[in-house]
Amino acid sequence: MDEARGLVQGRLEPSTEEQSWDLDRLRVRLAEAGYGEWFAPQATLESAVQQANNGRCGDLVLAERRDARTEWRIAEDRQAAFLTLHPAWGGRRLTREALLKALLTQGVVKTCIHLRALTHAAEAGHAESLCVARARLPQPGEDARFVSLVARDDQLALEEDEQGRVDLHHLHEFVVVDPGTPLLRRIPATQGEPGEDVMGEPLMPTPGRDRSFDALDDSVEPDPEDANVLRAAIRGHPVFSSSGVRVDPTLRLKAVDVSTGNIDFEGSVEVAGDVASGFVLSATGDILIRGMVEKADIRAGGNLTVLGGVMGEEVGRRHDGDLRLRTHLTSGGTLSAKFINLAYVNVRYDLLVREYALQCRLVAGRDIILGQPTGKGSLIGGSASAGRALVANTLGSEAGVATEVSVGRPNRRRRLVGQLKEALTLCEHNWQRVCDTLDCIQRGEMATPPTDKLKRLYATRDSLRARRQRIRGLIDRLVGARQSARPSRVEVKKRQHANLSLNIDGVRRYFNTEHGPSCWHRQGAELVRGS
């Protein structure tokens, strides 16, 4: 053995007829001699075996001792560092501390190093393109948020006994605030946390999107001690928007009938009794009706809640055969009622009906939900149109009453992009004509007009150029905008009766047979039934 060079030299005697050499036998002999952990080059061993089998012998280098070796690679984007560790063959192994020191000499910062990966590589004695360091990615900033500081009347909590009855004395009242009450807190956007790549260079985060309060009216004011807090300036009912609040004085009435006449009120209204037939109740804020609504017209700028039911009436048929209805309910927020019969309902957001809707025309900008959390939840006859989803326990009736359901919105974005492109073409045509005219004047090919007309030509050119840029920006925003990730659907939890027409995102299907629980959505040009 040559200790200085780390070589093992040996002699193979020529093979005999009784016993010849092969590679496995040679390796066994090396292992018996204590050289099993040494690196024996394949070609060297094969050459020794071949010479011995050909009747020759001599001194040969049979094994070579090697220390562990490392190869480091830094990704081009400097987001990660990788280690290839070649194992030791009878030589020196590398510890985790040695690997860490070697990695630091590559310029990798310690905060990005995975010590567990280095430990694993040192214990295993080998590794192939093992990630031992990764960049600390920046944390994006949070968008500005608005937090309500008082309770919101988005939905009244109905408490029922075992028979399904509601004790009206236990329903909570609308929230009424006094002047000086904090209403809404604005939490400003954050800048986020910077990161760093494996070489220690900073990675800058994306800051959050900041938003200000909506324009303030006289009912609210900034808190003098905290500009991010709005407080009430008058006594009334707070009405919240996505980034603002206003306080509406609340009008409380025993009933809407001959004693009050029609009501048109700037604020919120609470009616302890019924709204009688033939009257109009209109309010810019929320409307709470604890009794019944008969053949009346109700218009709420905010949420509309009818704790009793809605009992309408038909007054003949329209030219298309649909019923003409005397009862109209309109809500700029969410509408909830126990039941609705023979009424036209138009809601900006959600429509919630506990028991049933019978021969109505229902329109909701978002969801129509029947039977939540309790109640029969039936949609019988008439039509219902929802912007996002319709959920009911039962659709139609055993008598086969014609029922129409439409969910989703038409693809207005594509049509709007087409209109903008037409406007852009016309704008560019006019702009080019003005530019050509000015060029001809400058070259002397046309007589120079009066000064005021020349100024108008330059102003027209600049205006058309700015308009062209605005239209291009709108087109880019519309084309790049993401579609909603939530698909439109119609969900039936119990029974779907015959004589039912479903239209989801423009695809229509008619059902002349009954179905059990199902969830319908559009898939391509068809309506498919999900689980």
Side-chain angles (χ1 to χ4, degrees):
M1 172 179 176
D2 187 341
E3 294 289 347
R5 298 174 59 193
L7 302 177
V8 174
Q9 293 179 326
R11 177 186 294 271
L12 288 185
E13 297 297 335
S15 60
T16 64
E17 295 181 358
E18 292 79 11
Q19 188 174 26
S20 61
W21 288 97
D22 58 34
L23 206 55
D24 291 338
R25 179 186 171 197
L26 178 56
R27 284 175 173 158
V28 170
R29 292 292 297 275
L30 286 173
E32 292 175 348
Y35 302 125
E37 295 183 356
W38 289 52
F39 177 77
Q42 181 80 9
T44 299
L45 297 182
E46 290 178 349
S47 176
V49 170
Q50 184 177 3
Q51 291 186 41
N53 290 334
N54 290 336
R56 297 192 301 274
C57 66
D59 295 333
L60 297 172
V61 177
L62 300 179
E64 179 182 353
R65 180 173 59 194
R66 291 186 181 180
D67 294 337
R69 294 184 299 107
T70 58
E71 293 181 13
W72 305 98
R73 180 173 65 86
I74 308 298
E76 292 184 2
D77 58 2
R78 305 205 298 188
Q79 297 287 302
F82 301 91
L83 164 66
T84 296
L85 177 60
H86 298 281
W89 294 92
R92 181 175 60 88
R93 296 169 60 94
L94 291 178
T95 63
R96 187 189 76 169
E97 289 70 22
L99 292 175
L100 176 60
K101 183 178 180 180
L103 182 56
L104 292 174
T105 60
Q106 301 294 318
V108 177
V109 294
K110 193 170 183 179
T111 53
C112 295
I113 295 176
H114 296 170
L115 294 177
R116 183 175 298 179
L118 292 179
T119 301
H120 175 75
E123 292 176 350
H126 63 89
E128 181 71 26
S129 295
L130 176 65
C131 180
V132 293
R134 190 169 295 279
R136 293 191 304 108
L137 298 180
Q139 299 298 318
E142 295 183 355
D143 295 341
R145 297 184 293 116
F146 297 87
V147 179
S148 172
L149 302 179
V150 296
R152 302 175 63 160
D153 290 307
D154 293 336
Q155 186 175 3
L156 291 177
L158 301 176
E159 298 181 3
E160 300 179 347
D161 59 17
E162 296 178 355
Q163 286 74 37
R165 297 175 299 188
V166 176
D167 187 352
L168 300 182
H169 295 286
H170 290 87
L171 294 174
H172 74 267
E173 302 286 344
F174 275 137
V175 175
V176 178
V177 297
D178 294 320
T181 302
L183 301 176
L184 187 66
R185 177 179 294 279
R186 172 182 173 271
I187 300 178
T190 61
Q191 294 300 312
E193 295 293 334
E196 62 177 346
D197 63 23
V198 296
M199 307 302 288
E201 292 295 325
L203 299 174
M204 302 311 296
T206 301
R209 184 170 63 92
D210 209 0
R211 297 171 60 191
S212 301
F213 286 118
D214 290 341
L216 306 183
D217 59 16
D218 295 336
S219 66
V220 294
E221 60 186 7
D223 191 312
E225 299 181 357
D226 190 346
N228 286 317
V229 173
L230 296 181
R231 68 181 191 178
I234 63 174
R235 186 178 188 276
H237 171 59
V239 179
F240 294 88
S241 62
S242 61
S243 55
V245 62
R246 73 178 192 274
V247 178
D248 286 333
T250 302
L251 175 65
R252 290 182 171 85
L253 302 171
K254 292 182 179 179
V256 177
D257 51 21
V258 293
S259 64
T260 63
N262 293 334
I263 302 296
D264 188 1
F265 188 71
E266 292 279 339
S268 298
V269 175
E270 179 181 337
V271 181
D274 300 335
V275 179
S277 298
F279 288 91
V280 176
L281 171 58
S282 178
T284 59
D286 298 336
I287 295 179
L288 169 64
I289 301 171
R290 298 187 178 275
M292 297 279 296
V293 174
E294 298 179 13
K295 296 170 281 294
D297 191 348
I298 313 294
R299 307 164 193 163
N303 297 329
L304 172 57
T305 303
V306 183
L307 299 183
V310 179
M311 184 61 70
E313 182 182 59
E314 64 173 286
V315 288
R317 293 187 177 272
R318 303 188 305 180
H319 65 279
D320 58 358
D322 287 345
L323 295 176
R324 296 174 56 196
L325 306 173
R326 289 184 56 183
T327 302
H328 288 231
L329 305 178
T330 305
S331 169
T334 296
L335 188 151
S336 60
K338 184 176 182 179
F339 66 86
I340 304 177
N341 181 30
L342 292 169
Y344 175 81
V345 180
N346 194 323
V347 183
R348 182 177 181 182
Y349 294 126
D350 298 334
L351 171 60
L352 311 174
V353 183
R354 293 168 53 211
E355 295 295 341
Y356 64 86
L358 174 62
Q359 291 291 6
C360 297
R361 289 204 300 274
L362 309 178
V363 178
R366 200 158 54 187
D367 296 338
I368 297 178
I369 302 177
L370 296 100
Q372 302 296 319
T374 61
K376 296 179 180 178
S378 300
L379 176 64
I380 305 172
S383 63
S385 176
R388 188 170 62 185
L390 183 144
V391 181
N393 291 337
T394 306
L395 286 184
S397 68
E398 295 180 354
V401 177
T403 306
E404 294 186 5
V405 174
S406 177
V407 173
R409 295 184 177 91
N411 190 349
R412 298 175 181 172
R413 181 178 302 170
R414 185 181 304 169
R415 182 174 56 190
L416 182 56
V417 169
Q419 294 173 350
L420 288 173
K421 287 182 177 179
E422 292 178 0
L424 178 61
T425 301
L426 178 61
C427 181
E428 290 181 336
H429 173 73
N430 294 335
W431 176 76
Q432 189 62 49
R433 289 184 59 187
V434 174
C435 290
D436 292 343
T437 300
L438 291 173
D439 290 342
C440 291
I441 294 173
Q442 292 177 356
R443 293 194 301 266
E445 298 176 2
M446 293 179 60
T448 302
T451 302
D452 58 341
K453 185 175 181 180
L454 186 61
K455 289 182 177 179
R456 287 198 300 272
L457 283 173
Y458 279 111
T460 301
R461 180 197 64 182
D462 295 341
S463 175
L464 289 172
R465 180 170 54 195
R467 174 177 170 79
R468 182 181 64 169
Q469 293 175 349
R470 289 197 302 270
I471 295 176
R472 284 178 173 175
L474 288 173
I475 293 174
D476 292 341
R477 287 170 56 189
L478 287 171
V479 171
R482 295 183 299 176
Q483 296 287 347
S484 173
R486 183 173 182 180
S488 303
R489 76 187 196 284
V490 174
E491 182 177 351
V492 183
K493 295 187 175 181
K494 293 183 179 179
R495 176 63 60 183
Q496 174 182 313
H497 294 284
N499 201 8
L500 172 68
S501 175
L502 293 186
N503 186 325
I504 301 179
D505 291 334
V507 176
R508 182 179 298 276
R509 180 173 175 180
Y510 174 76
F511 299 87
N512 55 9
T513 59
E514 290 191 355
H515 289 272
S518 55
C519 183
W520 300 94
H521 63 275
R522 175 179 176 175
Q523 183 172 317
E526 296 181 351
L527 297 187
V528 297
R529 182 180 182 182
S531 56

